[in-house]
Amino acid sequence: MTQSASEITVTPARDYGNEVGQCWPVVVAPAPGELLSSWLHRLAMANGIPPQYFGRVLGVTGADWSAKLDRDLPGRILRLLVDRTRLPAEDIDGLALHRDPLGRLRLRQITGSGDARTSTARVNRLQYCPACLKEDRAPFFRRGWSLATRVSCFRHGCRLRDRCPACGGGIAPARQNRLLPHHFCVWCDADLRKPTLPAEYDVQRLERLIDDLLRLHVAGHGRHGKASLTAMLGAACFTFNGEPTSIARLPQWVRYALFRQFADGMTLLQKHSKHPAIDLWMRIALAAPKHSDPVASLSAEITSQITPREKTRSRLPELADLQLVINRLHSNRRTSLATAMPANE
């Protein structure tokens, strides 16, 4: 069957570039508390680019390109991300760790090789909670996990992990060369969500005290004449492999053991008792048993005022109470009837 040319209507398709402008085809919204590198990896995969190659799109070189952007986000890259995603600049900038008052306590991103069998690939990179990654609809890494003073998950009470449970390789999602979610190891493809052991109560108590102190420090950050709590905690040196090392360079298992030793009153501190940073750590450890979480205390106070009222409202009626009410209503009804009837003359 043929058709004449006059009967065929041709409609020019709209140009894709004119439709979407400079935006990337898929835009991923950052999750609450997400780290910039984690969001960039998810953004890359959503647009069909493995994270290992997304650095070239942004003009950043190196195997650990996203870790560099976490700590130093240039203005040109921020503007590029805003243009391509149409997300507010402050939302993207807020995911990074630059201009961070807690920067001294952020885990150091040590450059390693691309071979999981070498020691350099097994150094500390990122730590995470397996239970959180398992709950996430789209697994992502939190900013809070980048703090060296965090060794457990406040939500699940389990220990954090900074290496693959199967091969022992470091957590380096920027080196993923396939379109796989964050919960797969880049070295051996194992599932990173294998559960960890519960954190001990004394360790969590010390950890929460430090977290509360850091929150207070951030709230008053920039006040003149105040010593930096972050600098003090980060200046202390601990013994690791026979060398003095700051807490930001220690692997997770060493930091957890250190917290447990603090809780037990024993430490492997360097013999520099004159250093005020060591005295600060010791004072915090001694204060931990008496510490109560301000948020938990406030919640308990509010709950104690609300709970009795809620219990009174929701309490089921007793049978004896119902019987008394029925008798009272019956008595009132007879009284009302007697009053309403006219007297016999």
Side-chain angles (χ1 to χ4, degrees):
M1 179 176 172
T2 60
Q3 260 185 327
S4 64
S6 60
E7 296 177 351
I8 298 177
T9 303
V10 178
T11 303
R14 291 176 293 181
D15 183 77
Y16 180 79
N18 293 332
E19 288 296 310
V20 300
Q22 295 181 333
C23 286
W24 285 321
V26 182
V27 176
V28 176
E34 186 168 13
L35 191 62
L36 174 65
S37 57
S38 173
W39 174 69
L40 291 175
H41 301 155
R42 296 197 301 119
L43 180 65
M45 290 187 289
N47 286 278
I49 305 175
Q52 180 176 334
Y53 310 114
F54 195 60
R56 304 175 189 175
V57 178
L58 301 178
V60 186
T61 60
D64 296 321
W65 61 270
S66 59
K68 299 176 183 177
L69 295 182
D70 277 336
R71 288 153 178 79
D72 182 18
L73 180 60
R76 62 176 183 83
I77 296 182
L78 176 60
R79 290 190 294 270
L80 175 64
L81 291 171
V82 172
D83 292 339
R84 297 296 188 268
T85 63
R86 292 292 190 266
L87 293 176
E90 57 270 20
D91 290 356
I92 299 176
D93 189 64
L95 304 176
L97 300 176
H98 61 166
R99 297 189 297 273
D100 180 16
L102 302 180
R104 187 73 178 270
L105 293 177
R106 299 290 180 183
L107 293 172
R108 296 293 180 265
Q109 299 292 316
I110 304 174
T111 302
S113 72
D115 188 352
R117 295 169 296 181
T118 64
S119 60
T120 52
R122 300 173 186 269
V123 297
N124 174 39
R125 297 186 181 282
L126 288 173
Q127 59 182 2
Y128 67 96
C129 168
C132 286
L133 292 185
K134 192 170 184 177
E135 286 183 353
D136 292 339
R137 185 174 182 179
F140 67 95
F141 288 90
R142 279 73 166 165
R143 288 169 51 88
W145 293 343
S146 64
L147 281 173
T149 53
R150 294 290 296 274
V151 296
S152 72
C153 175
F154 289 172
R155 175 179 174 83
H156 298 101
C158 59
R159 304 181 190 182
L160 300 181
R161 178 184 285 137
D162 64 357
R163 60 185 63 194
C164 173
C167 72
I171 308 303
R175 302 191 179 203
Q176 182 59 262
N177 58 8
R178 290 180 291 168
L179 298 177
L180 293 177
H182 277 148
H183 63 274
F184 288 103
C185 176
V186 301
W187 313 114
C188 69
D189 291 343
D191 194 328
L192 300 176
R193 299 173 298 180
K194 181 180 178 180
T196 56
L197 295 174
E200 298 174 45
Y201 173 74
D202 291 343
V203 171
Q204 293 185 72
R205 185 169 55 186
L206 173 58
E207 186 181 9
R208 287 185 178 274
L209 171 56
I210 295 176
D211 189 69
D212 286 336
L213 292 174
L214 291 177
R215 288 175 183 271
L216 293 173
H217 167 71
V218 172
H221 179 66
R223 296 179 59 186
H224 298 290
K226 297 292 183 180
S228 172
L229 175 65
T230 305
M232 292 285 289
L233 293 176
C237 289
F238 306 94
T239 300
F240 178 59
N241 289 338
E243 297 292 335
T245 309
S246 67
I247 192 171
R249 296 184 179 275
L250 295 175
Q252 194 278 338
W253 69 270
V254 175
R255 285 182 285 111
Y256 184 88
L258 180 66
F259 273 55
R260 186 170 56 189
Q261 291 163 359
F262 268 124
D264 294 339
M266 301 178 294
T267 64
L268 294 177
L269 294 173
Q270 287 288 310
K271 303 301 182 179
H272 297 307
S273 57
K274 297 180 181 179
H275 203 297
I278 297 179
D279 295 335
L280 177 61
W281 275 98
M282 295 301 299
R283 290 200 303 270
I284 294 176
L286 292 174
K290 303 177 183 179
H291 171 67
S292 60
D293 186 355
V295 176
S297 301
L298 179 60
S299 300
E301 180 66 22
I302 295 174
T303 303
S304 66
Q305 298 179 13
I306 296 177
T307 301
R309 187 180 306 171
E310 291 180 344
K311 287 184 176 180
T312 302
R313 292 177 178 176
S314 61
R315 183 174 63 89
L316 296 176
E318 300 287 345
L319 182 60
D321 295 337
L322 290 175
Q323 187 63 44
L324 289 175
V325 172
I326 292 173
N327 292 338
R328 189 178 301 114
L329 290 174
H330 185 62
S331 175
N332 292 341
R333 182 181 180 187
R334 287 191 302 175
T335 303
S336 300
L337 290 174
T339 304
M341 292 178 62
N344 293 328
E345 294 180 358

XYZ file of all heavy atoms in Angstrom, residues 129-192:
506
model
N 27.788 1.967 58.926
C 26.981 1.049 59.727
C 26.287 0.081 58.772
O 25.488 0.506 57.936
C 25.949 1.811 60.556
S 24.688 0.745 61.308
N 26.542 -1.214 58.865
C 25.891 -2.175 57.967
C 24.374 -2.171 58.092
O 23.668 -2.336 57.087
C 26.479 -3.518 58.404
C 27.742 -3.188 59.125
C 27.500 -1.863 59.768
N 23.872 -1.971 59.311
C 22.422 -1.971 59.511
C 21.767 -0.779 58.820
O 20.660 -0.893 58.269
C 22.106 -1.963 61.009
N 22.435 0.371 58.833
C 21.890 1.547 58.149
C 21.837 1.323 56.636
O 20.842 1.650 55.980
C 22.732 2.781 58.465
S 22.504 3.460 60.126
N 22.925 0.773 56.081
C 22.945 0.508 54.643
C 21.865 -0.501 54.263
O 21.295 -0.424 53.165
C 24.320 -0.018 54.221
C 25.496 0.948 54.305
C 26.758 0.303 53.728
C 25.204 2.256 53.595
N 21.579 -1.427 55.160
C 20.547 -2.426 54.867
C 19.159 -1.813 54.892
O 18.266 -2.230 54.148
C 20.638 -3.568 55.883
C 19.820 -4.790 55.506
C 20.133 -5.958 56.419
C 19.388 -7.211 55.964
N 19.730 -8.387 56.804
N 18.953 -0.816 55.737
C 17.655 -0.152 55.825
C 17.418 0.836 54.691
O 16.265 1.095 54.319
C 17.522 0.587 57.163
C 17.293 -0.309 58.359
C 17.096 0.489 59.630
O 17.268 1.722 59.598
O 16.774 -0.121 60.658
N 18.497 1.391 54.145
C 18.361 2.425 53.115
C 17.716 1.858 51.856
O 18.078 0.773 51.389
C 19.730 3.008 52.744
C 20.345 3.802 53.878
O 19.596 4.232 54.765
O 21.584 3.980 53.859
N 16.781 2.626 51.323
C 16.222 2.243 50.023
C 17.292 2.361 48.945
O 17.394 1.519 48.047
C 15.031 3.151 49.703
C 14.303 2.778 48.430
C 13.056 3.620 48.253
N 12.334 3.244 47.056
C 11.189 3.819 46.670
N 10.666 4.789 47.414
N 10.590 3.417 45.571
N 18.087 3.416 49.020
C 19.273 3.587 48.179
C 20.435 3.830 49.132
O 20.545 4.922 49.712
C 19.109 4.756 47.213
N 21.287 2.842 49.371
C 22.352 2.973 50.370
C 23.230 4.205 50.129
O 23.615 4.497 48.994
C 23.158 1.682 50.193
C 22.179 0.705 49.626
C 21.289 1.513 48.728
N 23.529 4.931 51.220
C 24.384 6.110 51.127
C 25.217 6.236 52.393
O 24.889 5.668 53.437
C 23.547 7.379 50.902
C 22.669 7.760 52.077
C 23.106 8.677 53.023
C 21.406 7.204 52.233
C 22.306 9.035 54.107
C 20.594 7.557 53.311
C 21.048 8.473 54.244
N 26.303 6.998 52.293
C 27.205 7.210 53.422
C 26.889 8.546 54.101
O 26.656 9.553 53.440
C 28.659 7.198 52.949
C 29.149 5.824 52.551
C 29.018 5.377 51.249
C 29.712 4.989 53.493
C 29.456 4.115 50.884
C 30.151 3.723 53.145
C 30.016 3.279 51.839
N 26.909 8.514 55.441
C 26.562 9.691 56.238
C 27.792 10.539 56.559
O 28.908 10.024 56.689
C 25.927 9.262 57.560
C 24.452 8.905 57.514
C 24.187 7.598 56.855
N 22.826 7.130 57.122
C 22.228 6.165 56.455
N 22.864 5.544 55.472
N 20.994 5.792 56.764
N 27.545 11.846 56.755
C 28.621 12.741 57.189
C 29.119 12.352 58.573
O 30.306 12.438 58.865
C 28.112 14.182 57.222
C 27.888 14.810 55.867
C 27.122 16.129 56.004
N 27.719 17.015 56.979
C 28.678 17.899 56.722
N 29.129 18.008 55.482
N 29.171 18.661 57.651
N 28.205 11.932 59.448
C 28.588 11.588 60.810
C 29.573 10.437 60.889
O 30.357 10.339 61.842
N 29.556 9.564 59.903
C 30.476 8.433 59.904
C 31.910 8.865 59.636
O 32.839 8.081 59.859
C 30.059 7.411 58.840
C 28.757 6.742 59.133
C 28.100 6.684 60.325
C 27.930 6.019 58.196
N 26.922 5.987 60.203
C 26.792 5.559 58.916
C 28.026 5.723 56.845
C 25.777 4.821 58.312
C 27.029 4.990 56.245
C 25.919 4.537 56.969
N 32.122 10.056 59.150
C 33.481 10.518 58.842
C 34.209 11.041 60.072
O 35.378 11.393 59.996
C 33.444 11.617 57.773
O 32.762 12.764 58.249
N 33.549 11.092 61.221
C 34.189 11.544 62.450
C 34.978 10.405 63.086
O 34.463 9.294 63.264
C 33.148 12.060 63.446
C 32.616 13.468 63.213
C 31.479 13.773 64.182
C 33.729 14.497 63.373
N 36.207 10.681 63.455
C 37.044 9.670 64.090
C 36.550 9.331 65.485
O 36.893 8.267 66.020
C 38.497 10.159 64.145
N 35.774 10.209 66.092
C 35.256 9.960 67.432
C 33.994 9.111 67.417
O 33.420 8.859 68.482
C 34.958 11.297 68.136
O 34.116 12.101 67.296
C 36.239 12.051 68.428
N 33.557 8.692 66.248
C 32.398 7.804 66.142
C 32.888 6.390 65.865
O 33.559 6.141 64.865
C 31.472 8.272 65.009
C 30.818 9.609 65.258
C 29.779 9.525 66.360
N 28.678 8.659 65.971
C 27.617 9.061 65.273
N 27.530 10.322 64.871
N 26.646 8.229 64.988
N 32.539 5.473 66.741
C 32.938 4.073 66.578
C 31.735 3.140 66.560
O 31.885 1.941 66.338
C 33.915 3.638 67.692
C 35.218 4.418 67.599
C 33.280 3.814 69.074
N 30.538 3.678 66.801
C 29.330 2.862 66.779
C 28.191 3.658 66.172
O 28.288 4.871 65.973
C 28.961 2.399 68.195
O 28.455 3.486 68.965
N 27.104 2.966 65.881
C 25.920 3.601 65.328
C 24.965 3.944 66.457
O 24.557 3.059 67.218
C 25.242 2.668 64.317
S 23.671 3.299 63.655
N 24.612 5.207 66.586
C 23.700 5.613 67.642
C 22.296 5.062 67.422
O 21.523 4.929 68.367
C 23.645 7.138 67.721
C 24.912 7.762 68.269
C 25.086 9.140 68.256
C 25.914 6.975 68.794
C 26.244 9.715 68.757
C 27.074 7.532 69.290
C 27.241 8.910 69.284
N 21.948 4.758 66.198
C 20.607 4.260 65.891
C 20.462 2.770 66.212
O 19.466 2.347 66.795
C 20.280 4.508 64.418
C 18.944 3.922 63.962
C 18.681 4.242 62.496
N 17.506 3.582 61.992
C 16.264 4.017 62.139
N 16.044 5.147 62.787
N 15.237 3.357 61.645
N 21.459 1.988 65.827
C 21.344 0.534 65.969
C 22.191 -0.033 67.103
O 22.036 -1.202 67.453
C 21.737 -0.142 64.654
C 20.860 0.221 63.500
N 21.226 1.153 62.549
C 19.620 -0.206 63.157
C 20.257 1.270 61.668
N 19.279 0.475 61.996
N 23.116 0.763 67.649
C 23.932 0.287 68.760
C 25.008 -0.698 68.371
O 25.607 -1.340 69.248
N 25.282 -0.835 67.082
C 26.310 -1.771 66.625
C 27.590 -1.011 66.270
O 27.583 0.206 66.111
C 25.821 -2.572 65.421
S 25.360 -1.558 63.991
N 28.672 -1.724 66.142
C 29.946 -1.112 65.804
C 29.975 -0.725 64.325
O 29.355 -1.382 63.494
C 31.096 -2.075 66.100
C 31.133 -2.572 67.536
C 32.311 -3.496 67.759
N 32.206 -4.160 69.056
C 33.113 -5.003 69.549
N 34.201 -5.276 68.828
N 32.940 -5.574 70.725
N 30.709 0.335 64.037
C 30.919 0.712 62.651
C 32.009 -0.171 62.045
O 32.727 -0.873 62.759
C 31.309 2.187 62.551
C 30.293 3.202 63.089
C 30.811 4.621 62.885
C 28.931 3.037 62.435
N 32.121 -0.133 60.732
C 33.116 -0.926 60.019
C 33.783 -0.046 58.965
O 33.121 0.797 58.359
C 32.454 -2.141 59.373
C 33.407 -3.012 58.569
C 32.669 -4.146 57.872
N 32.290 -5.199 58.799
C 31.113 -5.810 58.807
N 30.176 -5.450 57.941
N 30.861 -6.768 59.667
N 35.092 -0.245 58.731
C 35.789 0.550 57.730
C 36.532 -0.315 56.717
O 37.434 0.162 56.030
C 36.759 1.541 58.384
C 37.881 0.853 59.137
O 37.885 -0.399 59.216
O 38.776 1.557 59.652
N 36.125 -1.575 56.609
C 36.733 -2.462 55.621
C 35.748 -3.553 55.241
O 34.767 -3.799 55.950
C 38.025 -3.083 56.160
C 37.845 -3.904 57.415
C 39.184 -4.386 57.942
N 40.015 -3.268 58.331
C 41.316 -3.359 58.567
N 41.922 -4.522 58.417
N 42.006 -2.294 58.933
N 36.002 -4.182 54.124
C 35.115 -5.234 53.633
C 35.186 -6.447 54.559
O 36.286 -6.898 54.914
C 35.509 -5.629 52.214
S 34.618 -7.059 51.559
N 34.047 -7.007 54.976
C 34.084 -8.178 55.862
C 34.587 -9.436 55.173
O 34.926 -10.407 55.843
C 32.617 -8.334 56.283
C 31.837 -7.714 55.179
C 32.673 -6.571 54.676
N 34.644 -9.428 53.842
C 35.087 -10.620 53.104
C 36.575 -10.575 52.772
O 37.334 -11.483 53.124
C 34.267 -10.784 51.827
N 37.022 -9.500 52.095
C 38.420 -9.432 51.642
C 39.284 -8.515 52.484
O 40.509 -8.526 52.354
C 38.470 -9.005 50.174
S 38.059 -7.251 49.901
N 38.680 -7.711 53.341
C 39.456 -6.792 54.170
C 39.887 -5.534 53.463
O 40.633 -4.728 54.024
N 39.438 -5.329 52.227
C 39.806 -4.125 51.494
C 39.139 -2.885 52.055
O 38.073 -2.952 52.673
N 39.774 -1.732 51.866
C 39.216 -0.476 52.340
C 37.943 -0.110 51.602
O 37.673 -0.587 50.490
N 37.137 0.748 52.214
C 35.873 1.186 51.616
C 36.181 2.366 50.701
O 36.456 3.469 51.162
C 34.854 1.582 52.703
C 34.723 0.461 53.726
C 33.516 1.904 52.071
C 34.332 -0.880 53.131
N 36.136 2.126 49.400
C 36.511 3.148 48.417
C 35.507 3.168 47.278
O 35.804 2.722 46.170
C 37.911 2.883 47.890
N 34.301 3.670 47.510
C 33.260 3.643 46.464
C 33.625 4.453 45.229
O 33.067 4.211 44.156
C 32.031 4.226 47.165
C 32.560 4.976 48.339
C 33.791 4.257 48.760
N 34.549 5.405 45.333
C 34.944 6.193 44.164
C 35.657 5.342 43.130
O 35.794 5.753 41.976
C 35.842 7.357 44.581
N 36.109 4.142 43.504
C 36.818 3.274 42.575
C 35.908 2.228 41.930
O 36.391 1.327 41.252
C 37.969 2.589 43.303
C 38.939 3.588 43.920
C 40.197 2.931 44.402
N 41.108 3.919 44.977
C 42.412 3.745 45.083
N 42.970 2.634 44.648
N 43.169 4.670 45.620
N 34.608 2.354 42.157
C 33.665 1.413 41.558
C 33.585 1.663 40.057
O 33.237 2.756 39.614
C 32.284 1.579 42.198
C 31.224 0.629 41.685
C 31.602 -0.816 41.893
O 32.091 -1.465 40.968
N 31.377 -1.310 43.101
N 33.916 0.638 39.267
C 33.912 0.791 37.808
C 32.699 0.157 37.140
O 32.678 -0.027 35.930
C 35.199 0.209 37.205
C 35.394 -1.259 37.557
O 34.509 -1.901 38.125
N 36.560 -1.789 37.236
N 31.705 -0.190 37.976
C 30.454 -0.725 37.448
C 29.283 -0.027 38.114
O 29.446 0.671 39.115
C 30.377 -2.236 37.673
C 31.349 -3.035 36.801
C 31.227 -4.516 37.081
N 31.718 -4.851 38.402
C 31.513 -6.036 38.989
N 30.797 -6.954 38.378
N 32.011 -6.277 40.172
N 28.103 -0.236 37.571
C 26.912 0.416 38.124
C 26.337 -0.433 39.249
O 25.299 -1.084 39.114
C 25.879 0.635 37.013
C 26.328 1.548 35.865
C 25.253 1.623 34.797
C 26.661 2.943 36.386
N 27.023 -0.422 40.386
C 26.608 -1.199 41.550
C 26.378 -0.261 42.726
O 27.118 0.713 42.906
C 27.684 -2.230 41.913
C 27.911 -3.363 40.905
C 29.051 -4.247 41.369
C 26.649 -4.186 40.719
N 25.378 -0.535 43.561
C 25.110 0.317 44.734
C 26.272 0.305 45.718
O 27.205 -0.499 45.619
C 23.844 -0.312 45.332
C 23.241 -1.119 44.237
C 24.386 -1.605 43.400
N 26.166 1.172 46.716
C 27.243 1.361 47.675
C 27.508 0.151 48.558
O 28.574 0.080 49.186
C 26.916 2.562 48.581
C 27.283 3.867 47.958
N 26.577 5.023 48.197
C 28.274 4.213 47.115
C 27.133 6.027 47.519
N 28.156 5.552 46.855
N 26.560 -0.761 48.672
C 26.753 -1.847 49.628
C 27.534 -3.027 49.046
O 27.594 -4.093 49.662
C 25.404 -2.335 50.175
C 24.489 -2.917 49.148
N 23.638 -2.145 48.391
C 24.292 -4.189 48.753
C 22.950 -2.927 47.584
N 23.331 -4.170 47.780
N 28.154 -2.838 47.871
C 29.009 -3.856 47.297
C 30.467 -3.407 47.366
O 30.792 -2.252 47.069
C 28.635 -4.148 45.841
C 27.337 -4.895 45.687
C 26.182 -4.233 45.290
C 27.267 -6.252 45.958
C 24.984 -4.914 45.161
C 26.078 -6.943 45.829
C 24.934 -6.277 45.429
N 31.348 -4.333 47.762
C 32.779 -4.038 47.843
C 33.344 -3.807 46.445
O 33.053 -4.563 45.514
C 33.502 -5.208 48.525
S 35.298 -5.033 48.580
N 34.164 -2.777 46.294
C 34.740 -2.479 44.981
C 35.846 -3.462 44.619
O 36.237 -3.552 43.444
C 35.297 -1.036 44.941
C 34.207 -0.032 45.239
C 36.446 -0.870 45.922
N 36.345 -4.217 45.624
C 37.458 -5.127 45.355
C 36.978 -6.547 45.030
O 37.522 -7.196 44.142
C 38.403 -5.179 46.558
C 38.775 -3.843 47.107
C 38.439 -3.341 48.328
C 39.556 -2.820 46.475
N 38.950 -2.081 48.498
C 39.639 -1.732 47.376
C 40.191 -2.712 45.237
C 40.337 -0.570 47.077
C 40.871 -1.553 44.932
C 40.951 -0.500 45.851
N 35.966 -7.036 45.772
C 35.572 -8.445 45.615
C 34.080 -8.631 45.384
O 33.618 -9.772 45.296
C 36.006 -9.250 46.837
S 35.095 -8.835 48.362
N 33.300 -7.541 45.313
C 31.852 -7.582 45.078
C 31.058 -8.185 46.243
O 29.873 -8.477 46.095
C 31.504 -8.364 43.806
C 31.952 -7.631 42.555
O 32.225 -6.425 42.648
O 32.029 -8.271 41.482
N 31.695 -8.380 47.391
C 30.974 -8.923 48.546
C 29.997 -7.889 49.099
O 30.178 -6.678 48.927
C 31.961 -9.344 49.629
N 28.967 -8.370 49.769
C 27.984 -7.498 50.400
C 28.587 -6.916 51.674
O 29.010 -7.662 52.577
C 26.717 -8.289 50.722
C 25.529 -7.387 51.055
O 25.758 -6.287 51.617
O 24.392 -7.770 50.764
N 28.629 -5.594 51.777
C 29.224 -4.930 52.936
C 28.311 -4.912 54.152
O 28.720 -4.471 55.223
C 29.602 -3.483 52.572
C 30.610 -3.296 51.439
C 30.785 -1.808 51.142
C 31.945 -3.934 51.784
